[in-house]
Amino acid sequence: METSTATTGTSVKEKSDQQQVLDGSSIMGLVENDEVFSNFVDHKFKELDKDNDGQLSVKELKPAVADIGAAFGLLVQGSSPVSDNIYYEVLNEFTHGQQEKVSKAEFKEALLDILPGIAASLKRDPVVILRIEGEDLLDFIDGPSYDAEMVSVFSQIRCSDDDASLLDCIVKAFGKLTVDHGMPPCSDSWVMSNTVEPALKSWDGYDQGVPVSKITFLEEFRKVAKHVAQNLKEQPVIVAHSENTFDGRGIKRLLSNKFELNRSLNAALQNVPRDSHGKISTACLRVVLDEVAPSAGLPPIGAVEQIDQVVADVFGTIHADEGKMVKEDELKNLVTEILWSIMLQLEENPIAVSSNCVVHEPLESSSSVLQP
């Protein structure tokens, strides 16, 4: 998954062609209709129960877990420690961390716990499914903003690597384009090997020792980009795109609702280790904060670098994780203080991020657990 700050160009939100918006409404419509949901569970359970023994093994549950991860725009398992931890937690929701087999009733109960959370997340941060076919990229390179934006990109590349060749500059420039420019994320190896690299091989300047200048870069990048656009036309790329601004409003809502705050803290503290006197180490604060994060509209620790830095600054300011043993109420007060401090920093300096993840499986052929 590629994560970045807000970019220039035509915003994804302003585009309507070749896109689908996942906002959680269909999931809630499914969960709230008892008869439809029961039929849905019957169908999905039968689909997943490959050996027809009336129970789902961990192996049989993995496609459901993968589909739930895809709904959050997560990387495939094995690609990221953060994503892998979320996959692990979802699987634990089904198996309670111990069971090797899950009955239909347990499968249904777990979905009733998981799906509303996914729906709420998608409602707060909708995922836009884009089909990138090269037209937007052509519009950009032939449009009025091309020169100004690519000169800026060239300057950034030259500042970071003054010895970069023309080929290096072109490759790095593709990495700085976004879906707003009609370019899928080059951080994805499939995009590089099937879209960008073939375009470079078709480029007539590929083996030439062309001097690196601003004008040369603009002309040659345009040539390669046209080949990329043609490759995208022949092999469109589907991208799950989401945008989010962390400005502290989610934290403010949670802190203003004492009942919800206490409920979230109690749930987060449920499995935290305690000593013989029932005290808890402040070294557990990050774990507790990570558990409370969804209720506060915050991403998991490790998911957004800028948020991690804010959290680190707050912990450093109040010396939060020194490993002292405190009573449960004291720990709750510390978490509340941390949330207040994070909220104040985000109110003063909101953090805007966008995420793009290439969807390698065609949506229409997916057996997603989230689709009736």
Side-chain angles (χ1 to χ4, degrees), residues 125-186:
D125 306 311
V127 174
V128 180
I129 305 299
L130 300 167
R131 184 180 175 89
I132 300 180
E133 300 179 319
E135 292 181 9
D136 289 334
L137 181 58
L138 285 175
D139 287 344
F140 168 64
I141 62 178
D142 292 332
S145 66
Y146 173 78
D147 284 357
E149 289 199 43
M150 295 314 297
V151 164
S152 174
V153 167
F154 179 73
S155 298
Q156 293 172 38
I157 294 170
R158 297 296 285 170
C159 284
S160 62
D161 186 0
D162 191 48
D163 294 327
S165 67
L166 178 59
L167 175 60
D168 291 337
C169 290
I170 289 174
V171 172
K172 290 179 180 179
F174 276 111
K176 292 184 178 295
L177 297 189
T178 70
V179 293
D180 289 336
H181 301 100
M183 187 67 203
C186 289

Side-chain angles (χ1 to χ4, degrees), residues 186-207:
C186 289
S187 56
D188 186 274
S189 59
W190 190 96
V191 172
M192 280 299 297
S193 60
N194 290 275
T195 304
V196 178
E197 290 175 3
L200 290 169
K201 290 177 181 178
S202 300
W203 171 42
D204 58 13
Y206 185 76
D207 292 322

Side-chain angles (χ1 to χ4, degrees), residues 1-3 22 65-77 79-80 82-84 86-87 118 121-122 125-129 185 188 238-243 303 354-360 363 370:
M1 176 165 42
E2 179 184 85
T3 302
L22 306 180
V65 174
D67 286 333
I68 288 171
F72 280 113
L74 297 179
L75 291 170
V76 295
Q77 286 181 276
S79 302
S80 160
V82 176
S83 293
D84 286 352
I86 297 175
Y87 282 115
I118 293 177
S121 176
L122 290 173
D125 306 311
V127 174
V128 180
I129 305 299
D188 186 274
I238 298 173
V239 175
H241 172 85
S242 63
E243 298 178 8
S354 65
S355 299
N356 300 293
C357 179
V358 175
V359 179
H360 293 283
L363 294 179
L370 305 180

Side-chain angles (χ1 to χ4, degrees), residues 30-42:
L30 172 67
V31 172
E32 291 171 351
N33 188 316
D34 292 340
E35 182 179 353
V36 173
F37 184 67
S38 293
N39 290 335
F40 164 78
V41 170
D42 290 342

Side-chain angles (χ1 to χ4, degrees), residues 76 138 178 256 281-282 292 309-310 352:
V76 295
L138 285 175
T178 70
S256 65
S281 171
T282 56
V292 175
Q309 186 57 56
V310 171

Side-chain angles (χ1 to χ4, degrees), residues 48-337:
L48 294 168
D49 186 15
K50 300 299 184 183
D51 59 8
N52 297 312
D53 68 348
Q55 291 184 307
L56 298 180
S57 64
V58 170
K59 181 179 180 180
E60 290 170 330
L61 278 167
K62 284 186 177 180
V65 174
D67 286 333
I68 288 171
F72 280 113
L74 297 179
L75 291 170
V76 295
Q77 286 181 276
S79 302
S80 160
V82 176
S83 293
D84 286 352
N85 182 61
I86 297 175
Y87 282 115
Y88 174 78
E89 293 298 330
V90 171
L91 185 60
N92 269 1
E93 186 72 28
F94 283 111
T95 65
H96 303 292
Q98 299 175 340
Q99 298 170 230
E100 294 184 1
K101 294 278 189 175
V102 174
S103 68
K104 185 189 293 186
E106 291 168 329
F107 179 68
K108 181 178 182 179
E109 181 181 358
L111 286 179
L112 282 172
D113 284 339
I114 295 170
L115 294 185
I118 293 177
S121 176
L122 290 173
K123 182 178 180 180
R124 183 177 63 248
D125 306 311
V127 174
V128 180
I129 305 299
L130 300 167
R131 184 180 175 89
I132 300 180
E133 300 179 319
E135 292 181 9
D136 289 334
L137 181 58
L138 285 175
D139 287 344
F140 168 64
I141 62 178
D142 292 332
S145 66
Y146 173 78
D147 284 357
E149 289 199 43
M150 295 314 297
V151 164
S152 174
V153 167
F154 179 73
S155 298
Q156 293 172 38
I157 294 170
R158 297 296 285 170
C159 284
S160 62
D161 186 0
D162 191 48
D163 294 327
S165 67
L166 178 59
L167 175 60
D168 291 337
C169 290
I170 289 174
V171 172
K172 290 179 180 179
F174 276 111
K176 292 184 178 295
L177 297 189
T178 70
V179 293
D180 289 336
H181 301 100
M183 187 67 203
C186 289
S187 56
D188 186 274
S189 59
W190 190 96
V191 172
M192 280 299 297
S193 60
N194 290 275
T195 304
V196 178
E197 290 175 3
L200 290 169
K201 290 177 181 178
S202 300
W203 171 42
D204 58 13
Y206 185 76
D207 292 322
Q208 297 177 15
V210 182
V212 183
S213 68
K214 192 181 301 180
I215 294 176
T216 301
F217 170 77
L218 291 175
E219 292 176 349
E220 298 304 316
F221 183 83
R222 180 182 273 114
K223 292 178 184 178
V224 179
K226 287 184 177 180
H227 287 295
V228 169
Q230 180 60 37
N231 291 340
L232 287 171
K233 182 178 180 180
E234 295 170 1
Q235 288 186 294
V237 176
I238 298 173
V239 175
H241 172 85
S242 63
E243 298 178 8
N244 194 7
T245 298
F246 299 100
D247 55 10
R249 282 185 290 182
I251 302 176
K252 179 175 283 188
R253 281 194 296 269
L254 179 63
L255 294 177
S256 65
N257 187 331
K258 299 300 182 184
F259 174 81
E260 180 64 21
L261 175 62
N262 199 49
R263 188 189 69 81
S264 297
L265 289 171
N266 286 338
L269 291 169
Q270 193 171 10
N271 297 313
V272 172
R274 303 163 191 260
D275 67 10
S276 57
H277 301 289
K279 290 187 175 182
I280 305 169
S281 171
T282 56
C284 296
L285 275 169
R286 290 180 186 270
V287 175
V288 175
L289 180 63
D290 210 27
E291 290 291 324
V292 175
S295 301
L298 292 172
I301 291 175
V304 178
E305 184 179 351
Q306 300 97 313
I307 298 293
D308 289 346
Q309 186 57 56
V310 171
V311 172
D313 291 345
V314 169
F315 270 70
T317 300
I318 66 177
H319 308 289
D321 50 1
E322 294 180 340
K324 297 178 181 178
M325 302 304 295
V326 297
K327 296 179 180 178
E328 181 176 300
D329 285 346
E330 292 178 88
L331 196 79
K332 285 183 177 180
N333 288 336
L334 274 173
V335 175
T336 302
E337 182 181 350

